[in-house]
C-alpha cells in the first residue's frame, strides 16, 4: 500500500529493478541498463553481428556489446574509455551523430 492505495508492480524483481554486482573494471553503471533490457526484452545477441551505440561515452553499453561478440560502431563527441579503444571490434567516431555515415548496422542501441 502506498498512501492508502494498493500498489502493484509489473516488475518480476523486488522494487522494480534487477540488482547487478559492479565488476572491478566496469566503465559505468549504464551497462546495468542494457543487461536489464537483455532480460526484460529477451535480447539474443547471437541474432546480431554489429551494433551502433549512439551517445556512447564513456562506453558502458559499448563494453557490453563487445563482450557479447558484436562489432560495435560508437558515436559520441566525448571520449570513450581508453581500454575500449584497443578493441579491434570497435570503430569509434568522435563526432556528433549528424556527421555520421550510416551503413551495415544490424543493431542500434
Amino acid at each position: 500500500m502506498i498512501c492508502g492505495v494498493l500498489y502493484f508492480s509489473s516488475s518480476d524483481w523486488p522494487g522494480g529493478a534487477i540488482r547487478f554486482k559492479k565488476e572491478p573494471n566496469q566503465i559505468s553503471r549504464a551497462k546495468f541498463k542494457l543487461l536489464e533490457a537483455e532480460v526484460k526484452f529477451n535480447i539474443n545477441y547471437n541474432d546480431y553481428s554489429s551494433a551502433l551505440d549512439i551517445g556512447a561515452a564513456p562506453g558502458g553499453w559499448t563494453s557490453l556489446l563487445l563482450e557479447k561478440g558484436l562489432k560495435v560502431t560508437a558515436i559520441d563527441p566525448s571520449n570513450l574509455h581508453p581500454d575500449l579503444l584497443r578493441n579491434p571490434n570497435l570503430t569509434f567516431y568522435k563526432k556528433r551523430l549528424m556527421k555520421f555515415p550510416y551503413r551495415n548496422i544490424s543493431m542500434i542501441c
Side-chain angles (χ1 to χ4, degrees):
M1 283 270 244
I2 298 176
C3 298
V5 177
L6 196 55
Y7 175 75
F8 294 100
S9 173
S10 63
S11 175
D12 293 334
W13 306 287
I18 304 174
R19 305 290 179 218
F20 296 101
K21 184 176 180 183
K22 189 171 190 297
E23 299 165 357
N25 295 320
Q26 188 171 323
I27 293 170
S28 74
R29 291 183 307 118
K31 182 177 183 177
F32 295 152
K33 296 174 186 174
L34 191 51
L35 285 168
E36 187 171 351
E38 177 183 354
V39 172
K40 183 74 175 171
F41 301 110
N42 296 317
I43 297 171
N44 182 355
Y45 293 98
N46 293 326
D47 293 341
Y48 305 96
S49 59
S50 60
L52 174 62
D53 188 356
I54 301 168
W61 284 25
T62 297
S63 66
L64 179 62
L65 295 166
L66 290 168
E67 287 170 21
K68 297 292 185 175
L70 279 71
K71 291 184 186 250
V72 179
T73 300
I75 305 170
D76 200 297
S78 296
N79 293 324
L80 280 184
H81 192 279
D83 291 347
L84 295 174
L85 299 175
R86 292 189 279 274
N87 191 309
N89 289 323
L90 173 66
T91 302
F92 175 53
Y93 292 91
K94 186 175 178 172
K95 57 175 63 179
R96 298 195 180 280
L97 177 63
M98 301 311 291
K99 307 265 183 192
F100 178 73
Y102 298 92
R103 60 185 167 277
N104 300 323
I105 301 294
S106 62
M107 181 183 197
I108 298 178
C109 295

